[in-house]
Every structure is written in structure tokens, then in C-alpha cells.
Amino acid sequence: MQKLTALIPAGNEIHNIEEVIKSVDFADEVLVVDSFSEDGTYEKAKEFATKVLRREYQYSASQKNWAIPQAKYEWILLVDADERVTPELRAEIEKILSAPPADIMAYWIGRNNHFMGERVNYSGWRNDKVIRLFKRDFCRYEDKHVHAEIIVQGNIGKLKEKLYHNTYITFDQYISKMNRYAWWQAKDYHSKTGRLTPYHFVIKPFWGFFKHYVIQSGFRDGIVGFTIGYIQAYVIFMRYVKLWLLRRDRK
């Protein structure tokens, strides 16, 4: 079987770090890259991980691109702290690594998403998938502040089993996270967005809500789906407010 490094980026994840490490304890190396946590994440990770490195956090893609070459083994399973590898997914990964196809450099993995204590079945999250199992020397993240995906030099496969994903802690903390994302998105959108108009502040947020709640059947997720649609509209609106502030060198 090919050896595997499980790579976990983490920052102030004391509530997650032990469980996520235990979910990947089948890996030959568990590497945690901590962004100078202040809540005990670093100390807890050292108890369970094979190796723990520290690096100042800039944005997700930058952190992961720095971390990937630090992996000891060629095959990497990258897992965020709010994700878990299920026993079924573990078995599928181990089967692939026992005889990996020579022409596949990475694999898509679907995610079962949870929000506000409920499983999200629609709301645009139904077919959520990420590239998380890949060969170290053939993959790097695109240089974006938010929602960067891995660029793969070669063919990509897809696993049948899924990651468990729960990004929600409390509503206030989630909104705070979305505000950070809006700032990062403003930086990404600065170079590709022309003059800001009511289209950006009214139509695009409304479309964001309509797409998630109506077109992608968020209404079938009840209050959770409505909340996801509302937050999507809010983040889009704040993206352009913060871009407006950014262009005027204000905060």
C-alpha cells in the first residue's frame, strides 16, 4: 500500500482538533499546520499528530500551498479541522492506495454538510465536492483568498464515499467568519470588477438568495435553507460594500 500523509490546517480549532486527527489516524503521517492558535490547538495537536508545524496565517490557499511540500509522503489526504473521515471513506481510500491507478493524480471527495445542527440536503450544498486526496508533486491551490480549488497536473478521479462536514459552531461565530470571507472576496474581485453600481448591491444579493432558496431548493431545508439563502445574499452585499471601502482605503 502507498504511504499517506494526512494534512490538517488548523487555527483556533480546540473544539475540533482531537476528533479530526483521530479520524485520520490510519495515515502513516498526520501533519498539522497550526496558524499560531491561542486556544490550545497547538498543544493538543502535539499530543495526537505525528508532526505539528506553525506558520502565520495569510489566507487558506497560501497556507495550504506552503503546507503541501512539507508532507513526508507522496499521497496526501487534506482534511480541514471541521471535517471528519468516516470509516466508509477510510476503507475506500485504503483500497485505492493499495493499487493506485497510474494515470490519476487526484480525487474529488463529496461532503455531507451540516449547519445549525441539521443535515443540509439542498440549498446549493447537495453536490458539494472538493479535491482532497492527491499526489503531492502534481497539485497546488489556485492563488485566491476564498474558495480556491486545487489545480491538478493530470487526471482526476472521484470517490463514492463522502467527508462529514460541519462548519457551524454558533450563529455569531459563523457570521463573523462570513464577514472575514467578504473582506477576502473583495480583494479577489477588485481586479475583475468595474464600477460598482446598484446591480452589485441589489440585484446580485437578491439573485444569490433566489438561487440558493428557490432554484437549488433551499426551501426544502426549512429554516436552515432560508438562513443559508439569507447569509448568501448578505455575504454578496458585504463583498461589494467592502470592495467599495477597499477602493477608498477605508475599513
Side-chain angles (χ1 to χ4, degrees), residues 14 40 57 66 76 78 81 86-87 93 99 106 120 132 137 148 199 214 217 230 243-244:
I14 191 63
Y57 188 86
W66 180 86
I76 294 176
L78 195 152
T86 66
I93 290 170
V120 180
R132 289 298 176 76
D137 300 330
Y199 168 77
V214 179
S217 299
Y230 174 84
L243 177 54
W244 183 88

Side-chain angles (χ1 to χ4, degrees), residues 3 9 18 43 57 124 134 169 188 193 230 233:
K3 290 187 177 296
E18 183 176 344
E43 291 76 14
Y57 188 86
F134 56 89
I169 306 172
D188 285 336
T193 302
Y230 174 84

Side-chain angles (χ1 to χ4, degrees), residues 5-13 17 20-21 29-37 41-43 45-46 49-72 76-81:
T5 291
L7 174 58
I8 305 171
N12 292 325
E13 294 283 356
I17 195 64
V20 67
I21 290 175
E29 177 189 43
V30 178
L31 171 61
V32 175
V33 177
D34 175 70
S35 53
F36 289 94
S37 297
T41 298
Y42 174 72
E43 291 76 14
K46 290 182 72 174
T50 310
K51 187 176 183 180
V52 184
L53 303 176
R54 305 189 89 177
R55 180 180 186 259
E56 195 70 43
Y57 188 86
Q58 298 174 2
Y59 51 96
S60 178
S62 171
Q63 196 79 343
K64 291 173 180 177
N65 281 337
W66 180 86
I68 288 169
Q70 317 302 323
K72 182 176 181 179
I76 294 176
L77 174 63
L78 195 152
V79 184
D80 284 341

Side-chain angles (χ1 to χ4, degrees), residues 161-211:
E161 301 298 335
K162 296 184 178 183
L163 286 162
Y164 172 91
H165 181 222
N166 184 11
T167 189
Y168 181 85
I169 306 172
T170 69
F171 191 77
D172 288 345
Q173 286 177 306
Y174 190 79
I175 290 296
S176 177
K177 178 181 178 180
M178 292 301 99
N179 274 314
R180 291 196 303 273
Y181 275 23
W183 271 118
W184 293 333
Q185 285 182 336
K187 295 177 181 179
D188 285 336
Y189 276 71
H190 176 52
S191 62
K192 58 184 180 182
T193 302
R195 185 174 66 89
L196 295 173
T197 68
Y199 168 77
H200 299 93
F201 297 103
V202 179
I203 297 176
K204 285 183 73 69
F206 174 79
W207 170 248
F209 175 85
F210 186 81
K211 181 177 72 172

Side-chain angles (χ1 to χ4, degrees), residues 122-136:
Y122 301 96
S123 305
W125 293 7
R126 184 176 186 178
N127 298 314
D128 180 30
K129 65 183 188 298
V130 285
I131 295 174
R132 289 298 176 76
L133 179 65
F134 56 89
K135 289 182 123 179
R136 178 191 58 206

Side-chain angles (χ1 to χ4, degrees), residues 205-231:
F206 174 79
W207 170 248
F209 175 85
F210 186 81
K211 181 177 72 172
H212 282 262
Y213 190 66
V214 179
I215 296 177
Q216 296 175 326
S217 299
F219 62 88
R220 299 178 70 176
D221 285 319
I223 190 63
V224 170
F226 183 86
T227 304
I228 290 171
Y230 174 84
I231 291 174

